[in-house]
Amino acid sequence: MSSWNSTFRMHREKRCFSAVFVFCTLWSSTLSVTRYSIPEEMERGSVVANLAADLGLEVGVLAHREVKLEMFQESNKYLDVNKKTGELYIVEKMDREYLCPSKTATTCFVKLDVIIESPLRIFNIELEIKDINDNAPHFRRDRVELDVSESATPGERFSLPNAVDPDGGINTVKMYKLSESEHFTIEIQTGSDGTKYVDMVLTKALDREEHAVHHLILTAVDGGVPARSGTANIIVRVLDTNDNAPRFDHPVYSVNMTENSPIGTLVMKLNATDLDEGPNAEIKYSFTLYTSEKTQDVFALNPNTGEITVKGTIDYEDMKFYEMHVEAKDKGQHPLLGQCKVVVRVTDMNDNYPDITVKSYKSTVNENIPVGTVIAIVGISDRDTGDNGKVSLSINQNLPFVLNKSSDVLYELKVSEPLDREQVPEYDITLVVTDGGTPPLSDNETITLHLLDVNDNGPLFPQSFYTIPVIENNAPGALLSSLTAFDPDLHENQYLVYFIIEKEIVNTSMSMLFSINPENGNLYALKTFDYEIEKEFLFHIEARDSGVPPLSSNVTVHIIIVDQNDNTPVIVSPWRAHGSVVEEKIPRSTDKGSLVSKVIAIDTDSVQNSRITYQFLQVTDATLFSLDQYNGEIRTMRMFSYRDPRHQRLVVIAKDNGDPGLSATVTIKLSTVEIVVKAYSDMTEVPLEYDIFSDLNLYLVIGLGSVSFLLLITILVTCVLKCQKPMPSKAAPPRRNSVISERNSTIADSTLVSNDAYWYSLFLAETRKGKLVVRQPVPKAGSRYIVSSLPRSTGLTETSDSAASTLQGSTTTGSSSS
């Protein structure tokens, strides 16, 4: 209660003096209405007046009575009564501009009734709301844009939006200010309601080309203390007017042009400028009426860019210079224009090209055409005169042709060198005609000359001599090589046929041994070749074309038969029957290094395939015997001891050097005997001859008779055959003799091989009476053996011949049976 009293006193003393004064003044005149005056925007809880004291009511009574406060036309509760103190206080801030929105009213009153019940009493109260400067002026648009023509005259006015201030009285808008400008100012006018209006006045003429946009600031200030203000941006855009005419850089332009300039060539580009903007600055170029139609037919003017280009043919002989009058016009509402003159001077040129005409020519000739033959007749001309009309004809290529001038305008094209189609099948002859102008003009014409082929080239082989290796045992029909010749001619002149030039070798024609494909030159073998029989062939192959007359060439072919390792080594010493063991006897007292036996093998192959090496395959005692791997000699490595067995078995292998290697073996059985060397020699000299021949006398006589009979029959048959069909007899193969030893004889030191491919010759043994020779045929030929003898001394000739004859018969018989 004390707080409300203190609050009441404070407000009555500080802020409610005016309310009390009004109340006291009116109390005497009007008893029914009580009036108060307060400023707007008072804080909540502020005391307006002591309503109980002003209405003559006791505070204690109000506490027991119901008090109501009703405000007319307002739903919000802004005021209320404190029943304890009887004070009228602020419940909600009151805004004068809201409660009294009308700007015409100078005062703002709020009417309310105070209703007290028990008993009912009603008091009328008027509350005046006084204005304070609580609102700043503001413009409805803070940005104002104006378009002003640059042709506007000074003094022209432009309305600006006025500022609005909700406050009233002196707190409303009082004045306007405009930012500094040399072209604009403002004038303020006051309406009948007191509202101030502002106009912007043009004080100086505008020039868009100088200043296109003006930025101004308009400020509104109220009359409150302190004063409040608001601003708006004024943007003035200066609109262009067509006040500038287009201008060329020069009034007269001079240009030099050469005649016959291509259509579309740029002569020059005119450039006119206009300081205006928009359509007022858009320029259109055109020829004036002073430009002749002929000039307009030769030159074109682009209306938008001002480019002058060549439209027709510029001919110096027709016109030396051209004059064009050009105007530039803008697109303003009232267009303005500027003019200039363009003079084009034509420079004379050598503009007529010389002409060339081929009046007649042969497009196809034989390659053997004679030198000096006319190929074509050519005419030349030029429409120009003077030096420009003087023309000459030439060939700029190094060709076998020449031009002969027959008149000022005619030339003959002739053959100057022999032609060869195989080197150059056709000629593109370019004829060039040139005038005497500066610079000279020229033209050309190309004629093509085709050469027909004649058969002037024979076939050519890449090589003059072919060496073809052929491995023996080839398959019949195998391709040996392809011998292809080349003929540079064409068509039938280059179609080749291949032949083998016939040549007989030992009654055999080459066509029986070889065959060649007549179309492609493939060479084939017709038989299987054996190196041991035929080692090489030499013949010729001819290639012939189909021309008329035909031409040919031949090549030498050398066929070399290459050896294969197809023959197994044959052991010819020591001799033994097939599959049997060779038995030898040697003294037990043989010294170290003595020759015990010698193994000899021969191979009919050649070179590497015939090189034979010897090795022990089996040996009873490896410390007793040695074997030379190259000559096959078996020698003792030491003397025999009493511990050594009496019988020694040696198995020797003879292997050739082929790939793969072939080999043969021989088994030698050595027996040692206790015999003195001298006695042995005396005992065996005569009995050897007796032993050999005494036991076989009967068989040898029978065999000799049989052989003689067969020989007689053979001679008769041969004579009959020769009489029927004479044929050259085959030469008997040369024979070489070999020495053979009986089991107790000494072994020979060398082996001789016959050159004849059908026989092997070897030394078999040597006796005291003579040398026995055994001839063994090639394993493929048969198994017959012939034995002959050579005298060792003149005293033993008969004995040796007799022994040879006897042994020959027995050996032949044994070979047949085996």
Side-chain angles (χ1 to χ4, degrees):
M1 189 66 170
S2 58
S3 62
W4 282 100
N5 291 334
S6 60
T7 304
F8 175 76
R9 293 189 190 96
M10 179 180 66
H11 287 287
R12 284 178 64 87
E13 291 174 358
K14 295 181 179 180
R15 301 181 62 181
C16 297
F17 289 106
S18 59
V20 174
F21 176 78
V22 173
F23 176 77
C24 294
T25 304
L26 297 177
W27 180 263
S28 59
S29 60
T30 305
L31 298 177
S32 60
V33 178
T34 304
R35 294 182 178 178
Y36 298 99
S37 178
I38 62 172
E40 63 175 334
E41 302 292 338
M42 288 185 66
E43 297 293 333
R44 295 176 184 178
S46 299
V47 177
V48 176
N50 192 330
L51 191 61
D54 294 337
L55 296 179
L57 301 175
E58 295 181 1
V59 177
V61 177
L62 290 175
H64 300 286
R65 300 174 66 179
E66 184 176 355
V67 180
K68 294 182 179 179
L69 192 63
E70 294 183 357
M71 184 178 295
F72 294 100
Q73 296 179 354
E74 287 296 332
S75 59
N76 294 335
K77 188 176 182 180
Y78 292 98
L79 301 170
D80 202 359
V81 177
N82 189 340
K83 292 182 180 182
K84 295 181 180 181
T85 61
E87 294 175 339
L88 181 65
Y89 64 94
I90 301 298
V91 177
E92 188 72 29
K93 284 184 178 182
M94 289 183 290
D95 186 2
R96 180 184 178 280
E97 288 76 27
Y98 176 75
L99 296 175
C100 301
S102 176
K103 297 288 291 183
T104 58
T106 58
T107 60
C108 179
F109 287 96
V110 176
K111 294 181 180 182
L112 52 102
D113 291 337
V114 179
I115 301 173
I116 302 174
E117 296 181 355
S118 300
L120 178 63
R121 293 187 62 181
I122 299 175
F123 301 94
N124 297 321
I125 297 175
E126 289 186 356
L127 181 63
E128 181 182 6
I129 309 298
K130 293 185 176 182
D131 183 48
I132 62 175
N133 192 19
D134 58 344
N135 293 284
H138 69 278
F139 291 91
R140 292 184 179 89
R141 292 185 298 167
D142 58 358
R143 178 182 175 90
V144 179
E145 296 182 359
L146 296 177
D147 292 331
V148 180
S149 173
E150 66 174 330
S151 62
T153 58
E156 188 170 344
R157 307 172 71 88
F158 305 96
S159 297
L160 298 178
N162 61 309
V164 177
D165 193 334
D167 295 328
I170 62 173
N171 295 327
T172 190
V173 177
K174 183 179 180 181
M175 58 181 294
Y176 290 94
K177 294 187 295 183
L178 184 66
S179 60
E180 184 178 356
S181 173
E182 62 175 332
H183 294 280
F184 297 97
T185 186
I186 58 172
E187 290 184 0
I188 301 175
Q189 297 181 6
T190 304
S192 59
D193 57 352
T195 303
K196 296 184 182 299
Y197 301 97
V198 59
D199 290 336
M200 187 172 65
V201 182
L202 180 65
T203 59
K204 182 180 178 181
L206 300 174
D207 189 353
R208 188 205 62 79
E209 290 73 29
E210 180 181 344
H211 203 170
V213 180
H214 297 266
H215 295 276
L216 305 174
I217 296 177
L218 179 63
T219 303
V221 183
D222 63 16
V225 179
R228 293 177 179 267
S229 63
T231 60
N233 293 321
I234 308 299
I235 299 175
V236 179
R237 289 191 296 264
V238 181
L239 300 180
D240 182 53
T241 58
N242 194 18
D243 55 348
N244 293 282
R247 277 188 171 188
F248 288 96
D249 298 335
H250 303 283
V252 178
Y253 296 90
S254 181
V255 181
N256 293 325
M257 288 290 294
T258 58
E259 64 173 333
N260 297 320
S261 295
I263 294 177
T265 301
L266 178 65
V267 177
M268 69 172 301
K269 183 178 181 180
L270 297 174
N271 183 32
T273 57
D274 194 323
L275 299 178
D276 294 325
E277 69 172 0
N280 298 328
E282 296 179 4
I283 297 174
K284 183 177 181 179
Y285 301 89
S286 62
F287 290 121
T288 67
L289 298 177
Y290 296 109
T291 304
S292 65
E293 292 183 359
K294 187 173 184 178
T295 301
Q296 295 185 37
D297 291 339
V298 177
F299 299 98
L301 174 62
N302 190 312
N304 298 320
T305 63
E307 292 180 346
I308 299 176
T309 56
V310 177
K311 177 182 177 183
T313 302
I314 302 176
D315 192 352
Y316 177 83
E317 289 74 22
D318 185 27
M319 203 166 188
K320 303 294 186 295
F321 69 91
Y322 296 88
E323 191 174 272
M324 291 171 278
H325 296 268
V326 181
E327 68 177 12
K329 184 185 295 185
D330 61 27
K331 297 181 180 180
Q333 186 176 3
H334 301 287
L336 303 177
L337 56 88
Q339 291 185 347
C340 72
K341 183 171 68 173
V342 179
V343 178
V344 178
R345 292 181 172 83
V346 181
T347 303
D348 186 28
M349 298 291 292
N350 183 23
D351 57 342
N352 290 297
Y353 286 85
D355 293 329
I356 182 170
T357 304
V358 179
K359 297 184 178 299
S360 65
Y361 88 101
K362 300 176 182 178
S363 61
T364 304
V365 296
N366 290 331
E367 63 175 321
N368 58 352
I369 184 173
V371 174
T373 303
V374 177
I375 300 299
I377 298 176
V378 183
I380 56 176
S381 62
D382 195 321
R383 292 180 299 169
D384 292 330
T385 59
D387 291 338
N388 295 335
K390 294 180 180 180
V391 291
S392 61
L393 186 65
S394 62
I395 301 175
N396 291 341
Q397 302 159 287
N398 186 16
L399 298 176
F401 303 98
V402 66
L403 286 169
N404 287 338
K405 187 174 182 181
S406 58
S407 67
D408 291 340
V409 294
L410 287 178
Y411 284 83
E412 291 180 345
L413 179 64
K414 295 183 178 182
V415 178
S416 62
E417 298 176 12
L419 306 180
D420 188 355
R421 188 209 61 81
E422 286 71 35
Q423 293 184 1
V424 182
E426 67 179 23
Y427 290 92
D428 290 328
I429 308 170
T430 302
L431 304 174
V432 180
V433 58
T434 307
D435 63 18
T438 303
L441 298 179
S442 62
D443 195 5
N444 63 77
E445 180 75 20
T446 300
I447 61 176
T448 301
L449 180 64
H450 299 275
L451 300 183
L452 297 178
D453 183 53
V454 296
N455 192 23
D456 56 348
N457 292 281
L460 295 176
F461 285 93
Q463 301 171 219
S464 60
F465 190 89
Y466 286 87
T467 300
I468 304 173
V470 178
I471 300 176
E472 66 171 330
N473 301 318
N474 59 288
L479 176 65
L480 303 184
S481 181
S482 182
L483 308 177
T484 304
F486 171 74
D487 193 324
D489 291 327
L490 288 179
H491 309 305
E492 67 274 0
N493 296 331
Q494 71 171 172
Y495 296 152
L496 303 181
V497 180
Y498 298 90
F499 306 92
I500 295 178
I501 298 177
E502 289 295 338
K503 177 183 178 182
E504 289 190 359
I505 300 178
V506 193
N507 298 328
T508 301
S509 173
M510 278 298 164
S511 59
M512 299 178 63
L513 301 177
F514 303 98
S515 173
I516 189 168
N517 189 318
E519 295 180 357
N520 56 27
N522 288 344
L523 184 63
Y524 300 92
L526 297 181
K527 62 168 289 187
T528 300
F529 297 107
D530 189 351
Y531 174 82
E532 287 73 30
I533 300 175
E534 302 151 322
K535 292 181 172 54
E536 63 181 10
F537 300 94
L538 193 67
F539 55 93
H540 300 282
I541 289 179
E542 178 181 307
R544 183 183 304 164
D545 62 24
S546 301
V548 179
L551 301 178
S552 63
S553 64
N554 58 64
V555 67
T556 302
V557 179
H558 184 202
I559 304 293
I560 298 177
I561 308 301
V562 179
D563 182 46
Q564 275 189 329
N565 190 24
D566 57 343
N567 291 286
T568 303
V570 177
I571 297 176
V572 296
S573 177
W575 183 86
R576 82 274 187 233
H578 181 69
S580 62
V581 178
V582 177
E583 294 185 359
E584 297 284 350
K585 294 180 181 181
I586 60 173
R588 196 169 182 83
S589 59
T590 302
D591 294 333
K592 175 183 177 182
S594 299
L595 180 63
V596 176
S597 181
K598 182 173 184 178
V599 179
I600 300 174
I602 61 175
D603 193 322
T604 57
D605 293 324
S606 64
V607 196
Q608 296 292 336
N609 297 329
S610 65
R611 294 180 182 177
I612 299 175
T613 56
Y614 303 90
Q615 293 178 349
F616 279 131
L617 191 60
Q618 293 179 9
V619 60
T620 304
D621 189 348
T623 63
L624 187 56
F625 301 100
S626 65
L627 174 62
D628 190 305
Q629 63 174 342
Y630 298 110
N631 59 25
E633 292 180 350
I634 302 175
R635 295 181 181 272
T636 56
M637 296 174 61
R638 59 179 175 82
M639 294 187 66
F640 288 94
S641 66
Y642 67 94
R643 295 180 180 179
D644 294 327
R646 295 181 61 87
H647 300 284
Q648 299 286 336
R649 186 173 183 271
L650 307 178
V651 179
V652 178
I653 181 172
K655 186 177 182 181
D656 60 23
N657 198 34
D659 185 19
L662 301 177
S663 63
T665 60
V666 61
T667 303
I668 302 174
K669 185 177 180 182
L670 295 179
S671 301
T672 58
V673 295
E674 299 290 345
I675 301 175
V676 179
V677 177
K678 183 177 180 181
Y680 173 82
S681 179
D682 295 338
M683 292 171 62
T684 57
E685 181 176 354
V686 175
L688 173 62
E689 185 176 353
Y690 176 78
D691 289 342
I692 294 176
F693 297 103
S694 60
D695 295 337
L696 300 176
N697 285 335
L698 180 61
Y699 299 103
L700 288 177
V701 171
I702 297 174
L704 181 59
S706 301
V707 170
S708 300
F709 177 75
L710 292 175
L711 179 60
L712 180 60
I713 297 300
T714 302
I715 293 173
L716 293 176
V717 171
T718 302
C719 293
V720 173
L721 292 178
K722 281 184 175 292
C723 293
Q724 293 179 354
K725 184 179 181 181
M727 293 290 289
S729 60
K730 204 169 186 179
R735 301 185 179 183
R736 299 289 299 273
N737 296 333
S738 302
V739 177
I740 187 170
S741 170
E742 217 274 352
R743 287 185 292 241
N744 296 330
S745 64
T746 304
I747 306 301
D749 294 334
S750 62
T751 300
L752 299 179
V753 181
S754 171
N755 290 330
D756 191 346
Y758 292 95
W759 300 95
Y760 299 118
S761 297
L762 58 139
F763 291 105
L764 295 180
E766 180 180 357
T767 64
R768 297 177 68 249
K769 301 295 183 179
K771 297 180 179 179
L772 299 181
V773 178
V774 176
R775 293 191 178 273
Q776 180 186 5
V778 179
K780 299 177 183 179
S783 58
R784 184 183 177 197
Y785 294 88
I786 298 176
V787 181
S788 63
S789 66
L790 291 178
R792 182 173 183 181
S793 62
T794 55
L796 298 177
T797 301
E798 296 179 358
T799 308
S800 300
D801 292 340
S802 175
S805 300
T806 306
L807 185 57
Q808 180 179 359
S810 65
T811 306
T812 303
T813 306
S815 175
S816 300
S817 62
S818 61

